[in-house]
Amino acid sequence: MPFKKPHQTADQASIVKKNDGSFEIKPKGLNIIWGNDLRYWKTITDNGAELIQVSWLEVSGKVGPVKVGETYVVKFDIEVKDTGFGWGNTEVLIMAKIGKKGSYKYKPVKLACGDNGYIPKANEEQLEITVTVGEKDLDLHFGLYEVWSGKWKGGLIIKKAEVTKKS
């Protein structure tokens, strides 16, 4: 039996660049730690990635090229099932940086059972990142992380990620 890698690697065909320069990243377009291990994630499709349980949540992606002088907003469309667990009193970080060697900006968010929609929520401060003049590596790296608490968590469904130009 051939060895199957435990982590999902992004499928570029699942990243859609729109005419306005924004990006829609379907779940198969994301790098998901333990994503190929059915003990931790259900089979991942372009319609969703459902977390069974992990203590190390690391979901990341990369889009580009982005345009110098533009500001981008990074968000995830998620659902936390009513049977979800491990989210109380735990912050999840949405992070982004320009270029592989760039500095991360981040936005902490709290998740709760029954949450459904975008994070950060529309009425919350958004994670914005500006591409400054002089940037040579024009890839925008982003992710959703909870790797610090050591708590087991589950019941999260990732529907998609979006990187949109700030209007």
Side-chain angles (χ1 to χ4, degrees):
M1 181 161 105
F3 175 73
K4 185 175 181 182
K5 294 181 181 179
H7 309 309
Q8 174 181 288
T9 303
D11 177 355
Q12 296 302 306
S14 294
I15 301 172
V16 178
K17 185 172 185 180
K18 299 182 178 181
N19 290 336
D20 66 358
S22 298
F23 301 86
E24 178 179 299
I25 305 91
K26 298 173 184 175
K28 288 186 72 82
L30 298 166
N31 300 304
I32 301 177
I33 298 300
W34 302 115
N36 287 333
D37 191 322
L38 296 176
R39 294 174 298 173
Y40 303 114
W41 291 86
K42 289 191 176 177
T43 300
I44 297 167
T45 69
D46 273 341
N47 295 321
E50 184 174 337
L51 173 64
I52 297 168
Q53 64 175 2
V54 292
S55 63
W56 182 283
L57 177 67
E58 183 175 341
V59 177
S60 63
K62 175 178 80 168
V63 296
V66 291
K67 291 180 101 178
V68 171
E70 294 283 354
T71 298
Y72 292 84
V73 176
V74 178
K75 55 189 169 184
F76 284 82
D77 187 3
I78 60 96
E79 177 183 343
V80 181
K81 296 169 76 171
D82 291 335
T83 56
F85 59 93
W87 303 107
N89 298 319
T90 302
E91 288 185 332
V92 177
L93 295 184
I94 301 173
M95 300 174 65
K97 67 180 180 177
I98 303 298
K100 189 171 181 114
K101 295 182 179 181
S103 296
Y104 273 109
K105 289 187 71 174
Y106 65 92
K107 170 78 177 119
V109 295
K110 293 220 180 217
L111 299 179
C113 294
D115 282 354
N116 192 355
Y118 285 99
I119 55 170
K121 294 181 173 106
N123 62 348
E124 297 176 337
E125 182 182 337
Q126 299 297 300
L127 175 60
E128 298 177 0
I129 189 156
T130 301
V131 186
T132 57
V133 174
E135 288 287 351
K136 299 211 181 326
D137 181 348
L138 296 177
D139 287 332
L140 189 153
H141 298 257
F142 65 94
L144 182 66
Y145 303 91
E146 200 297 296
V147 299
W148 301 276
S149 74
K151 292 189 339 189
W152 286 89
K153 54 204 116 339
L156 173 69
I157 300 170
I158 299 172
K159 300 174 187 175
K160 65 181 173 181
E162 290 185 359
V163 176
T164 57
K165 286 186 180 181
K166 183 179 176 185
S167 46

